[in-house]
Amino acid sequence: MKLALFSDIHANLQALQACMDHARAQSATQLAFLGDLVGYGGSPTEVLDTVMQAVEQGAWAVRGNHDDVALRPPSHIQHQGEQGAQWTHDQLGRHHQDFLQHLPLLAPHGRILLVHASAHHPERWPYVENSVMAERSMAAASDLDPGIRYVFSGHVHQQALYYLTPTAKLMRFVPQPGVPIPVPSHRQWLGIVGACGQPRDGDLRAMYALYDDSAATLTFYRVPYDHAAAVQAVQRSGMPPEFAERLEQGR
């Protein structure tokens, strides 16, 4: 199996299509969507239609915090994020809402666990930004099933890899795009696959990762896409203009 992992698409259809095309070119045989399918971007229904079709064909998916808030936006709008959530909610058809509502927070698949944020209290959406938080997520995965060796998540809009050494010391590895990393199953791993639709490191290219179970490797990718079209979709949507500016600047 070659598992393509996409997270934080944020209603960016152009980035999603580019990453999916790239994954197919790498002979991906299984797709997984790690949440935050919507939010910030201008194409929520198109992204959801794409993901829903993929899930019908056997792809895996979990729910993210922006998916959650798009289902239940606050009654009193107090900031731009809530304004964006309300706009997204208004675009969604009943079938889109039903799809998001029934997505799980955790999705175990054999030795693999998929989660948007952390396996430790996934409903609270904690950020796995350091070794302490990574260790909590990995421990929670082991509590769920001791056979889980790979936890894949997103949420923090960056790419990172954590693993446990034979002495149970947690190590963090910063991946290089396109370079396969050996991830043998005798260790436990946590891979953060990065943001497909909204990078925040100043690099405008989309992110995803590819896990090859037969080769026991994980490869992180950066993929160029029609960035201008994605920005224009936000500008035309009526969303706060700051969302388009953030996408333009990769922040």
Side-chain angles (χ1 to χ4, degrees), residues 93-163:
R94 172 52 59 186
H95 61 301
H96 296 125
Q97 294 183 32
D98 288 345
F99 174 74
L100 292 177
Q101 183 67 50
H102 289 94
L103 288 177
L105 295 180
L106 294 168
H109 295 277
R111 297 185 300 179
I112 295 169
L113 179 66
L114 308 178
V115 62
H116 177 63
S118 172
H120 179 70
H121 292 304
E123 76 286 354
R124 299 179 186 175
W125 316 112
Y127 287 90
V128 180
E129 296 178 304
N130 53 52
S131 296
V132 171
M133 298 303 292
E135 190 166 14
R136 287 179 184 172
S137 183
M138 295 164 80
S142 295
D143 289 343
L144 181 69
D145 181 349
I148 291 172
R149 311 310 296 156
Y150 304 95
V151 180
F152 294 124
S153 59
H155 196 42
V156 296
H157 291 239
Q158 66 175 2
Q159 295 179 322
L161 182 63
Y162 296 87
Y163 64 95

Side-chain angles (χ1 to χ4, degrees), residues 17-28:
Q17 289 175 331
C19 286
M20 291 179 68
D21 288 346
H22 190 278
R24 293 188 188 102
Q26 310 308 310
S27 303

Side-chain angles (χ1 to χ4, degrees), residues 6 71 101 104-105 170 216-217 232 243:
F6 312 100
L71 287 169
Q101 183 67 50
L105 295 180
L170 193 71
T217 59
Q232 289 168 6
F243 290 174

Side-chain angles (χ1 to χ4, degrees), residues 14 204 225-236 247-248:
Q14 290 76 16
L204 303 183
Y225 70 97
D226 191 347
H227 182 260
V231 171
Q232 289 168 6
V234 179
Q235 293 170 334
R236 292 193 301 265
L247 192 58
E248 252 181 329

Side-chain angles (χ1 to χ4, degrees), residues 19-58:
C19 286
M20 291 179 68
D21 288 346
H22 190 278
R24 293 188 188 102
Q26 310 308 310
S27 303
T29 57
Q30 180 68 45
L31 307 181
F33 301 93
L34 306 186
D36 277 9
L37 308 176
V38 298
Y40 296 125
S43 305
T45 58
E46 295 90 341
V47 164
L48 284 175
D49 288 342
T50 301
V51 174
M52 291 166 65
Q53 182 180 23
V55 169
E56 286 178 2
Q57 296 171 354

